């Protein structure tokens, strides 16, 4: 059964760069799309973006220009970088897996496996 | 962005009784490939979300059959036939038909 284990810095100052990594164990890394999803404390979910093993990415347009998702196929890991963070970026960040949609450059959004979540707090 | 609107936002339910959550999208979720990428997730307190239903009505592996999804176009429903104590949590609908994927606000299911 696939396991997603994530890590990264939990406390940032405004204007710094958020950096998180998610490692995938016991899963078919090349057969899926890998997403980041965030959840501000006490609030709902927001999809950040996704990547596949070829490096094809799709991002939430609300974060365009600040977000980069990258992949390390040799270590079955993918990473999130979010620049110029503010308090509004304070959230629990989750990594998640979805199946691809055949014949397209996108995932299905059926997030069947999730990481444990990482709370990132942005505060001066 | 497609706005997903859930009702109710809170649902107190008696154990063993049914529960129903509605989700309405701001535009049709039918993709050009003919599929409707509407899923339901459950989030228990302190845990990551968990996939329950995908493509409107497909129950994910290991999900009890008391959970069912239905709907089409812009109107969708999640039903729990008989609520159990372990069903307490927040339920989200999510669309992945058009970027960016978007979620409903969440519906909190609690026991009366």
């Amino acid at each position: 059964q696939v396991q997603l284990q994530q890590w990264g810095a939990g406390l940032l100052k405004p204007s710094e760069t958020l950096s998180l990594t998610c490692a995938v164990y016991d899963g078919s890394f090349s057969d899926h799309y890998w997403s980041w999803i965030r959840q501000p404390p006490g609030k709902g979910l927001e999809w950040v973006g996704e990547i596949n093993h070829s490096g094809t990415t799709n991002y939430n347009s609300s974060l365009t220009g600040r977000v980069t998702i990258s992949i390390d196929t040799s270590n079955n890991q993918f990473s999130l970088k979010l620049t110029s963070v503010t308090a509004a970026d304070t959230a629990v960040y989750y990594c998640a897996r979805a199946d691809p949609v055949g014949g397209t450059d996108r995932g299905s959004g059926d997030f069947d496996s999730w990481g444990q979540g990482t709370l990132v707090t942005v505060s001066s | 962005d497609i706005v997903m609107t859930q009702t109710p936002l809170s649902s107190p339910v008696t154990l063993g009784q049914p529960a129903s959550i509605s989700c309405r999208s701001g535009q049709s979720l039918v993709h050009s490939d003919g599929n409707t990428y509407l899923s339901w997730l459950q989030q228990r307190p302190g845990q990551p979300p968990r996939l329950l239903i995908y493509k409107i009505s497909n129950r994910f592996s290991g999900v009890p059959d008391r959970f069912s999804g239905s709907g089409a176009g812009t109107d969708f429903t999640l039903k729990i036939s008989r609520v159990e104590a372990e069903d307490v949590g927040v339920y989200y609908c999510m669309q992945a038909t058009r970027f960016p994927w978007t979620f409903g606000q969440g519906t909190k299911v609690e026991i009366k």
Side-chain angles (χ1 to χ4, degrees), chain B residues 5 27 32 35 40 42 68 72 84 88 109 112:
Chain B
T5 303
Q27 55 185 277
S32 56
N35 289 308
W40 290 94
Q42 174 197 62
S68 64
E84 299 189 5
V88 166
V109 171
K112 277 184 186 176

Side-chain angles (χ1 to χ4, degrees), chain A residues 19-57:
Chain A
S19 183
L20 298 173
T21 297
C22 182
V24 179
Y25 300 99
D26 302 328
S28 299
F29 193 66
S30 61
D31 295 340
H32 298 280
Y33 269 78
W34 306 95
S35 275
W36 290 97
I37 294 151
R38 68 182 184 177
Q39 184 172 37
K43 296 189 177 180
L45 299 161
E46 179 183 31
W47 176 74
V48 173
E50 66 177 4
I51 191 167
N52 71 359
H53 73 285
S54 300
T56 299
T57 54

Side-chain angles (χ1 to χ4, degrees), chain A residues 35 37 39 43-47 50 58-62 94 101-102 104-117, chain B residues 1 31 33 35 37-39 41 43 46-51 53-55 60 92 94 96-105:
Chain A
S35 275
I37 294 151
Q39 184 172 37
K43 296 189 177 180
L45 299 161
E46 179 183 31
W47 176 74
E50 66 177 4
N58 295 299
Y59 296 128
N60 191 321
S61 52
S62 69
Y94 295 101
V101 174
T104 71
D105 287 332
R106 50 156 276 177
S108 65
D110 300 334
F111 300 119
D112 62 1
S113 297
W114 293 69
Q116 77 275 21
Chain B
D1 297 4
H31 192 270
D33 67 4
N35 289 308
Y37 294 95
L38 185 283
S39 57
L41 302 105
Q43 187 173 31
Q47 295 189 17
R50 164 198 178 200
L51 180 65
I53 303 284
Y54 62 97
K55 293 190 189 68
F60 184 60
Y92 295 93
M94 193 206 93
T97 293
R98 289 182 185 79
F99 289 117
W101 308 158
T102 48
F103 295 84
Q105 321 96 298

